[in-house]
Amino acid sequence: MDCISRTENEVDTMKYDIFKSEEALIARSDALVGNDDEPDVPMDDFETLVKGYKKLFKRTKQMVRLNDRNEEDLRQAKKS
């Protein structure tokens, strides 16, 4: 299927599928932070690391969306 012929919903689903492993890692990390039964994990340091990773992940998704919009604008301009 050609990317141009995909619906907007299909493209949105596809974009977020590329971040599936990152989202799973964040969910697993959040579960560890909320679990007080794991004494070997230095929670303060781990929480700082997870917060930083979440921030970077959010910015990466924003950059991908921006790039996708720019790419679509270029495709539309090329058609005109």
Coordinates of all heavy atoms in Angstrom, one line a residue:
M1 N 0.8 -1.2 0.0 CA 0.0 0.0 0.0 C 0.9 1.2 0.0 O 1.8 1.4 0.8 CB -0.9 0.0 1.2 CG -1.8 1.2 1.4 SD -2.7 1.2 2.9 CE -4.0 0.0 2.5
D2 N 0.6 2.1 -0.9 CA 1.4 3.4 -1.0 C 1.1 4.3 0.2 O -0.1 4.4 0.6 CB 1.0 4.1 -2.3 CG 1.9 5.3 -2.6 OD1 3.1 5.3 -2.2 OD2 1.4 6.2 -3.2
C3 N 2.1 4.9 0.7 CA 1.9 5.8 1.9 C 0.9 6.9 1.6 O 0.2 7.3 2.5 CB 3.3 6.4 2.4 SG 3.2 7.3 3.9
I4 N 0.9 7.4 0.4 CA 0.0 8.5 0.1 C -1.4 8.1 0.1 O -2.3 8.8 0.5 CB 0.4 9.1 -1.3 CG1 1.7 9.7 -1.3 CG2 -0.7 10.1 -1.8 CD1 2.3 10.1 -2.6
S5 N -1.7 6.8 -0.2 CA -3.1 6.3 -0.2 C -3.6 5.9 1.2 O -4.7 5.5 1.3 CB -3.2 5.2 -1.2 OG -2.5 4.1 -0.7
R6 N -2.8 5.9 2.2 CA -3.2 5.6 3.5 C -4.0 6.6 4.2 O -3.8 7.8 3.9 CB -2.0 5.3 4.4 CG -1.2 4.1 4.1 CD -0.1 3.8 5.1 NE 0.5 2.6 4.8 CZ 1.8 2.4 4.8 NH1 2.6 3.4 5.0 NH2 2.3 1.2 4.5
T7 N -5.0 6.2 5.0 CA -5.8 7.2 5.7 C -5.0 7.8 6.8 O -4.0 7.3 7.2 CB -7.1 6.5 6.3 OG1 -6.6 5.6 7.3 CG2 -7.9 5.8 5.2
E8 N -5.4 8.9 7.3 CA -4.7 9.6 8.4 C -4.7 8.7 9.6 O -3.6 8.7 10.3 CB -5.5 10.9 8.7 CG -4.7 11.8 9.7 CD -5.4 13.1 9.9 OE1 -5.9 13.7 8.9 OE2 -5.4 13.6 11.1
N9 N -5.7 8.0 9.9 CA -5.7 7.1 11.1 C -4.7 6.0 10.9 O -4.0 5.7 11.9 CB -7.1 6.5 11.3 CG -7.2 5.8 12.6 OD1 -6.6 6.1 13.6 ND2 -8.0 4.7 12.6
E10 N -4.6 5.4 9.7 CA -3.6 4.4 9.5 C -2.2 4.9 9.7 O -1.3 4.3 10.3 CB -3.7 3.8 8.1 CG -4.9 3.0 7.9 CD -5.1 2.5 6.5 OE1 -4.8 3.3 5.6 OE2 -5.6 1.4 6.3
V11 N -1.9 6.1 9.2 CA -0.6 6.8 9.3 C -0.3 7.0 10.8 O 0.8 6.8 11.3 CB -0.5 8.1 8.5 CG1 0.8 8.8 8.8 CG2 -0.6 7.7 7.0
D12 N -1.3 7.5 11.6 CA -1.1 7.8 13.0 C -0.8 6.5 13.7 O 0.1 6.4 14.6 CB -2.3 8.4 13.6 CG -2.5 9.9 13.3 OD1 -1.5 10.5 12.9 OD2 -3.6 10.4 13.4
T13 N -1.5 5.4 13.4 CA -1.2 4.1 14.1 C 0.2 3.6 13.7 O 0.9 3.2 14.6 CB -2.3 3.1 13.6 OG1 -3.6 3.6 13.9 CG2 -2.0 1.7 14.2
M14 N 0.6 3.8 12.5 CA 1.9 3.4 12.0 C 3.0 4.1 12.8 O 4.0 3.6 13.2 CB 2.0 3.6 10.5 CG 3.3 3.1 9.9 SD 3.5 3.4 8.2 CE 3.4 5.2 8.1
K15 N 2.8 5.5 12.9 CA 3.8 6.3 13.6 C 4.0 5.8 15.0 O 5.2 5.7 15.4 CB 3.4 7.7 13.6 CG 3.6 8.4 12.3 CD 3.4 9.9 12.4 CE 2.0 10.3 12.5 NZ 1.7 11.7 12.4
Y16 N 3.0 5.5 15.7 CA 3.1 5.2 17.1 C 3.6 3.7 17.3 O 4.1 3.4 18.3 CB 1.9 5.5 17.9 CG 1.7 7.0 18.0 CD1 0.7 7.6 17.3 CD2 2.5 7.7 18.8 CE1 0.6 9.0 17.3 CE2 2.4 9.1 18.9 CZ 1.4 9.7 18.2 OH 1.3 11.1 18.2
D17 N 3.4 2.9 16.3 CA 3.9 1.5 16.3 C 5.4 1.5 16.4 O 6.0 0.6 16.9 CB 3.4 0.7 15.2 CG 1.9 0.3 15.4 OD1 1.4 0.4 16.5 OD2 1.3 -0.2 14.4
I18 N 6.1 2.5 15.8 CA 7.5 2.5 15.8 C 8.1 2.7 17.2 O 9.2 2.5 17.5 CB 8.1 3.5 14.8 CG1 7.8 4.9 15.1 CG2 7.7 3.2 13.4 CD1 8.5 5.9 14.3
F19 N 7.2 3.2 18.1 CA 7.7 3.5 19.5 C 7.2 2.5 20.4 O 7.2 2.7 21.6 CB 7.2 4.9 19.9 CG 7.8 6.0 19.1 CD1 7.0 6.8 18.3 CD2 9.1 6.3 19.1 CE1 7.5 7.9 17.6 CE2 9.7 7.3 18.4 CZ 8.9 8.1 17.6
K20 N 6.7 1.3 19.9 CA 6.1 0.3 20.8 C 7.1 -0.2 21.9 O 6.7 -0.3 23.1 CB 5.7 -0.9 19.9 CG 5.0 -2.0 20.7 CD 4.5 -3.0 19.7 CE 3.7 -4.1 20.4 NZ 3.2 -5.1 19.5
S21 N 8.4 -0.4 21.5 CA 9.3 -0.9 22.5 C 9.6 0.2 23.6 O 9.8 -0.1 24.8 CB 10.6 -1.4 21.9 OG 11.2 -0.4 21.2
E22 N 9.7 1.4 23.1 CA 10.0 2.5 24.1 C 8.8 2.7 25.1 O 9.0 2.9 26.3 CB 10.2 3.9 23.3 CG 11.5 4.0 22.6 CD 11.5 3.3 21.2 OE1 10.5 2.6 20.9 OE2 12.5 3.4 20.6
E23 N 7.6 2.6 24.6 CA 6.4 2.7 25.4 C 6.4 1.5 26.4 O 6.0 1.7 27.6 CB 5.1 2.8 24.6 CG 5.0 4.1 23.9 CD 3.9 4.1 22.9 OE1 3.4 3.1 22.5 OE2 3.5 5.3 22.5
A24 N 6.7 0.3 26.0 CA 6.8 -0.8 26.9 C 7.8 -0.6 28.0 O 7.6 -1.0 29.1 CB 7.1 -2.1 26.1
L25 N 9.0 -0.1 27.6 CA 10.1 0.2 28.6 C 9.6 1.2 29.6 O 9.9 1.0 30.8 CB 11.3 0.7 27.8 CG 12.5 1.0 28.7 CD1 13.0 -0.2 29.5 CD2 13.6 1.6 27.9
I26 N 8.9 2.2 29.2 CA 8.4 3.2 30.1 C 7.4 2.6 31.1 O 7.5 2.9 32.3 CB 7.9 4.5 29.4 CG1 9.0 5.3 28.7 CG2 7.0 5.3 30.3 CD1 8.5 6.3 27.8
A27 N 6.5 1.8 30.5 CA 5.5 1.2 31.4 C 6.2 0.2 32.4 O 5.8 0.2 33.6 CB 4.5 0.4 30.5
R28 N 7.2 -0.5 32.0 CA 7.9 -1.4 32.9 C 8.6 -0.6 33.9 O 8.6 -1.0 35.1 CB 8.8 -2.3 32.1 CG 9.5 -3.3 32.9 CD 10.3 -4.3 32.0 NE 11.1 -5.2 32.8 CZ 12.4 -5.5 32.5 NH1 12.9 -5.0 31.4 NH2 13.0 -6.3 33.3
S29 N 9.2 0.5 33.5 CA 10.0 1.3 34.5 C 9.0 1.9 35.5 O 9.4 2.0 36.7 CB 10.7 2.4 33.7 OG 11.6 1.8 32.8
D30 N 7.9 2.4 35.0 CA 6.9 3.0 36.0 C 6.4 1.9 37.0 O 6.2 2.2 38.2 CB 5.7 3.5 35.2 CG 5.9 4.8 34.5 OD1 6.9 5.5 34.9 OD2 5.2 5.2 33.6
A31 N 6.3 0.7 36.5 CA 5.9 -0.4 37.4 C 7.0 -0.6 38.5 O 6.7 -0.9 39.7 CB 5.6 -1.7 36.7
L32 N 8.2 -0.6 38.1 CA 9.3 -0.8 39.0 C 9.4 0.3 40.1 O 9.6 0.1 41.3 CB 10.7 -0.8 38.3 CG 11.1 -2.2 37.7 CD1 12.4 -2.0 36.9 CD2 11.2 -3.2 38.8
V33 N 9.1 1.6 39.6 CA 9.2 2.7 40.5 C 8.0 2.6 41.6 O 8.2 2.9 42.7 CB 9.0 4.1 39.7 CG1 8.8 5.2 40.7 CG2 10.3 4.3 38.9
G34 N 6.9 2.1 41.1 CA 5.8 1.9 42.1 C 5.9 0.7 42.9 O 5.0 0.5 43.8
N35 N 6.9 -0.2 42.7 CA 7.0 -1.4 43.5 C 8.1 -1.2 44.6 O 9.2 -1.2 44.3 CB 7.4 -2.5 42.5 CG 7.5 -3.9 43.2 OD1 7.3 -4.0 44.4 ND2 7.9 -4.9 42.4
D36 N 7.6 -1.2 45.8 CA 8.5 -1.0 46.9 C 9.2 -2.3 47.4 O 10.0 -2.3 48.2 CB 7.8 -0.4 48.1 CG 7.3 1.0 47.8 OD1 8.0 1.7 47.0 OD2 6.3 1.5 48.5
D37 N 8.8 -3.4 46.7 CA 9.4 -4.7 47.1 C 10.7 -5.0 46.4 O 11.3 -6.0 46.7 CB 8.4 -5.8 46.6 CG 7.1 -5.8 47.3 OD1 7.0 -5.2 48.5 OD2 6.1 -6.3 46.8
E38 N 11.2 -4.1 45.6 CA 12.5 -4.2 44.9 C 13.6 -3.3 45.5 O 13.8 -2.2 45.1 CB 12.3 -3.9 43.4 CG 13.5 -4.2 42.5 CD 13.7 -5.7 42.5 OE1 12.8 -6.5 42.3 OE2 14.9 -6.1 42.6
P39 N 14.2 -3.8 46.6 CA 15.2 -3.0 47.3 C 16.5 -2.7 46.6 O 17.2 -1.8 46.9 CB 15.4 -3.8 48.6 CG 15.2 -5.2 48.2 CD 14.1 -5.1 47.2
D40 N 16.8 -3.5 45.6 CA 18.1 -3.4 44.9 C 18.2 -2.2 43.9 O 19.2 -1.9 43.4 CB 18.5 -4.7 44.1 CG 18.7 -5.9 45.1 OD1 19.0 -5.6 46.2 OD2 18.5 -7.0 44.6
V41 N 17.0 -1.6 43.6 CA 17.0 -0.5 42.7 C 17.0 0.8 43.4 O 16.1 1.0 44.3 CB 15.7 -0.6 41.8 CG1 15.6 0.6 40.9 CG2 15.6 -1.9 41.1
P42 N 18.1 1.6 43.2 CA 18.1 3.0 43.9 C 17.0 3.8 43.2 O 17.2 4.4 42.2 CB 19.5 3.5 43.6 CG 20.0 2.7 42.4 CD 19.2 1.4 42.4
M43 N 15.9 3.9 43.9 CA 14.7 4.5 43.3 C 14.8 6.0 42.9 O 14.3 6.4 41.9 CB 13.5 4.4 44.3 CG 12.9 3.0 44.3 SD 12.3 2.6 42.7 CE 12.8 0.9 42.6
D44 N 15.5 6.8 43.7 CA 15.7 8.2 43.4 C 16.4 8.4 42.0 O 16.0 9.1 41.2 CB 16.5 9.0 44.5 CG 15.6 9.1 45.7 OD1 14.4 9.0 45.7 OD2 16.2 9.4 46.8
D45 N 17.5 7.6 41.9 CA 18.3 7.7 40.6 C 17.5 7.1 39.5 O 17.5 7.7 38.4 CB 19.6 6.9 40.8 CG 20.6 7.6 41.7 OD1 20.4 8.8 42.0 OD2 21.4 6.9 42.3
F46 N 16.8 6.0 39.7 CA 16.0 5.4 38.7 C 14.9 6.3 38.2 O 14.6 6.4 37.1 CB 15.4 4.1 39.2 CG 14.7 3.3 38.1 CD1 15.5 2.6 37.1 CD2 13.4 3.2 38.2 CE1 14.8 1.9 36.2 CE2 12.7 2.4 37.2 CZ 13.4 1.8 36.2
E47 N 14.2 6.9 39.2 CA 13.1 7.9 38.8 C 13.6 9.0 38.0 O 13.0 9.5 37.0 CB 12.4 8.4 40.1 CG 11.5 7.4 40.8 CD 10.8 7.9 42.0 OE1 10.4 9.1 42.0 OE2 10.7 7.2 43.0
T48 N 14.8 9.6 38.3 CA 15.4 10.6 37.6 C 15.7 10.2 36.2 O 15.4 10.9 35.2 CB 16.7 11.1 38.3 OG1 16.4 11.6 39.6 CG2 17.4 12.2 37.5
L49 N 16.2 9.0 36.0 CA 16.5 8.4 34.7 C 15.2 8.2 33.9 O 15.2 8.6 32.7 CB 17.2 7.1 34.9 CG 17.6 6.3 33.6 CD1 18.6 7.2 32.8 CD2 18.2 5.0 33.9
V50 N 14.2 7.7 34.5 CA 12.9 7.5 33.8 C 12.3 8.8 33.4 O 11.8 9.0 32.2 CB 12.0 6.7 34.6 CG1 10.6 6.6 34.0 CG2 12.5 5.2 34.8
K51 N 12.3 9.8 34.2 CA 11.8 11.1 33.9 C 12.5 11.7 32.7 O 11.9 12.3 31.8 CB 11.9 12.1 35.1 CG 10.8 11.8 36.2 CD 11.0 12.7 37.3 CE 10.0 12.4 38.4 NZ 10.2 13.2 39.6
G52 N 13.8 11.6 32.7 CA 14.6 12.1 31.6 C 14.3 11.4 30.3 O 14.2 12.0 29.2
Y53 N 14.2 10.1 30.4 CA 13.9 9.3 29.2 C 12.5 9.6 28.7 O 12.3 9.8 27.4 CB 13.9 7.8 29.5 CG 13.7 6.9 28.3 CD1 14.7 6.7 27.4 CD2 12.5 6.4 28.1 CE1 14.5 5.9 26.3 CE2 12.2 5.6 26.9 CZ 13.3 5.4 26.1 OH 13.0 4.6 24.9
K54 N 11.5 9.8 29.5 CA 10.2 10.2 29.1 C 10.2 11.5 28.4 O 9.5 11.7 27.3 CB 9.2 10.3 30.3 CG 8.8 9.0 30.8 CD 7.9 9.2 32.0 CE 7.4 7.9 32.6 NZ 6.5 8.1 33.8
K55 N 11.0 12.5 28.9 CA 11.1 13.8 28.3 C 11.7 13.7 26.9 O 11.2 14.2 25.9 CB 11.9 14.7 29.1 CG 12.0 16.1 28.7 CD 12.7 17.0 29.7 CE 12.8 18.4 29.3 NZ 13.5 19.3 30.3
L56 N 12.8 12.9 26.7 CA 13.4 12.7 25.4 C 12.5 11.9 24.5 O 12.4 12.3 23.3 CB 14.7 11.9 25.6 CG 15.9 12.6 26.3 CD1 17.0 11.6 26.5 CD2 16.3 13.7 25.4
F57 N 11.8 11.0 25.0 CA 10.8 10.2 24.2 C 9.7 11.1 23.6 O 9.4 11.1 22.5 CB 10.3 9.1 25.0 CG 9.2 8.2 24.2 CD1 9.5 7.6 23.0 CD2 8.0 8.0 24.8 CE1 8.6 6.9 22.4 CE2 7.0 7.3 24.2 CZ 7.3 6.7 22.9
K58 N 9.2 12.0 24.5 CA 8.1 12.9 24.1 C 8.7 13.8 23.0 O 8.0 14.1 22.0 CB 7.7 13.7 25.3 CG 6.6 14.7 25.0 CD 6.2 15.5 26.2 CE 5.1 16.6 25.9 NZ 4.7 17.3 27.1
R59 N 9.9 14.4 23.2 CA 10.5 15.2 22.1 C 10.7 14.5 20.8 O 10.5 15.1 19.7 CB 11.7 15.9 22.6 CG 11.5 16.9 23.7 CD 12.8 17.6 24.1 NE 12.5 18.6 25.1 CZ 13.4 19.3 25.7 NH1 14.7 19.1 25.4 NH2 13.1 20.2 26.6
T60 N 11.1 13.3 20.9 CA 11.3 12.5 19.7 C 10.0 12.3 18.9 O 10.0 12.4 17.7 CB 12.0 11.1 20.1 OG1 13.2 11.3 20.7 CG2 12.2 10.2 18.8
K61 N 9.0 11.9 19.6 CA 7.7 11.8 19.0 C 7.2 13.1 18.3 O 6.7 13.1 17.2 CB 6.6 11.3 20.0 CG 6.8 9.9 20.4 CD 5.6 9.2 21.1 CE 4.8 10.0 22.0 NZ 3.8 9.3 22.7
Q62 N 7.5 14.2 19.0 CA 7.1 15.5 18.5 C 7.9 15.8 17.2 O 7.3 16.3 16.2 CB 7.4 16.6 19.5 CG 6.4 16.7 20.6 CD 6.8 17.6 21.7 OE1 8.0 18.0 21.8 NE2 5.9 18.0 22.5
M63 N 9.2 15.4 17.2 CA 10.0 15.7 16.0 C 9.5 14.8 14.9 O 9.5 15.2 13.7 CB 11.5 15.4 16.4 CG 12.1 16.5 17.2 SD 13.7 16.1 17.9 CE 14.6 15.4 16.5
V64 N 9.2 13.5 15.1 CA 8.7 12.6 14.1 C 7.4 13.2 13.5 O 7.2 13.2 12.3 CB 8.5 11.2 14.6 CG1 7.7 10.3 13.6 CG2 9.8 10.6 14.9
R65 N 6.5 13.7 14.3 CA 5.2 14.2 13.8 C 5.5 15.5 13.0 O 4.9 15.6 11.9 CB 4.3 14.6 15.0 CG 3.5 13.4 15.5 CD 2.4 13.9 16.5 NE 2.8 14.6 17.6 CZ 3.1 14.1 18.8 NH1 2.9 12.8 19.0 NH2 3.5 14.8 19.8
L66 N 6.4 16.3 13.4 CA 6.8 17.5 12.7 C 7.4 17.1 11.3 O 7.0 17.7 10.3 CB 7.7 18.4 13.4 CG 8.2 19.7 12.8 CD1 7.1 20.6 12.4 CD2 9.2 20.4 13.6
N67 N 8.3 16.2 11.3 CA 8.9 15.7 10.1 C 7.8 15.1 9.1 O 7.9 15.4 7.9 CB 9.9 14.6 10.4 CG 10.6 14.2 9.2 OD1 11.2 15.0 8.4 ND2 10.6 12.9 8.9
D68 N 6.9 14.3 9.7 CA 5.9 13.8 8.9 C 5.0 14.8 8.2 O 4.6 14.8 7.1 CB 5.0 12.8 9.7 CG 5.7 11.5 10.0 OD1 6.8 11.2 9.4 OD2 5.2 10.8 10.9
R69 N 4.7 15.9 9.0 CA 3.9 17.0 8.5 C 4.6 17.7 7.3 O 4.1 18.0 6.3 CB 3.5 18.0 9.6 CG 2.4 17.6 10.4 CD 1.9 18.7 11.3 NE 1.6 18.1 12.6 CZ 2.1 18.5 13.8 NH1 2.9 19.6 13.9 NH2 1.8 17.9 14.9
N70 N 5.9 18.0 7.6 CA 6.7 18.6 6.6 C 6.8 17.8 5.3 O 6.7 18.3 4.2 CB 8.1 18.9 7.1 CG 8.1 20.1 8.1 OD1 7.2 20.9 8.2 ND2 9.1 20.1 8.9
E71 N 7.0 16.5 5.5 CA 7.1 15.6 4.3 C 5.7 15.6 3.5 O 5.8 15.7 2.3 CB 7.3 14.2 4.8 CG 7.6 13.2 3.7 CD 7.9 11.8 4.2 OE1 8.3 11.7 5.4 OE2 7.8 10.9 3.4
E72 N 4.6 15.6 4.2 CA 3.3 15.7 3.6 C 3.2 17.0 2.8 O 2.6 17.0 1.7 CB 2.2 15.5 4.6 CG 0.8 15.4 3.9 CD 0.7 14.3 2.9 OE1 1.3 13.2 3.0 OE2 -0.1 14.5 2.0
D73 N 3.6 18.1 3.5 CA 3.5 19.4 2.8 C 4.3 19.4 1.5 O 3.9 19.9 0.5 CB 4.0 20.5 3.7 CG 3.1 20.8 4.9 OD1 1.9 20.4 4.8 OD2 3.5 21.5 5.8
L74 N 5.5 18.8 1.6 CA 6.4 18.7 0.4 C 5.7 17.9 -0.7 O 5.7 18.2 -1.9 CB 7.7 18.1 0.7 CG 8.7 19.1 1.5 CD1 9.9 18.3 1.9 CD2 9.0 20.3 0.7
R75 N 5.1 16.8 -0.3 CA 4.3 16.0 -1.3 C 3.2 16.7 -1.9 O 3.0 16.6 -3.1 CB 3.8 14.7 -0.6 CG 4.8 13.7 -0.3 CD 4.1 12.4 0.2 NE 5.2 11.6 0.8 CZ 4.9 10.6 1.6 NH1 3.7 10.2 1.9 NH2 5.9 9.9 2.0
Q76 N 2.5 17.5 -1.1 CA 1.3 18.3 -1.7 C 1.9 19.4 -2.6 O 1.3 19.6 -3.6 CB 0.5 18.9 -0.5 CG -0.2 17.9 0.3 CD -1.2 17.0 -0.4 OE1 -1.8 17.5 -1.3 NE2 -1.2 15.7 -0.1
A77 N 3.0 20.0 -2.2 CA 3.5 21.0 -3.1 C 4.0 20.5 -4.4 O 3.9 21.1 -5.5 CB 4.7 21.7 -2.3
K78 N 4.6 19.3 -4.3 CA 5.1 18.6 -5.6 C 3.9 18.3 -6.5 O 4.1 18.4 -7.7 CB 5.8 17.3 -5.2 CG 6.5 16.7 -6.3 CD 7.3 15.5 -5.8 CE 7.9 14.8 -7.0 NZ 8.7 13.6 -6.6
K79 N 2.7 17.9 -5.9 CA 1.6 17.6 -6.8 C 1.0 18.8 -7.5 O 0.5 18.8 -8.5 CB 0.4 17.0 -5.9 CG 0.6 15.6 -5.5 CD -0.6 15.2 -4.7 CE -0.4 13.8 -4.2 NZ -1.6 13.4 -3.4
S80 N 1.2 20.0 -6.8 CA 0.6 21.2 -7.4 C 1.4 21.7 -8.6 O 2.4 21.5 -8.9 CB 0.6 22.3 -6.3 OG -0.1 21.9 -5.2

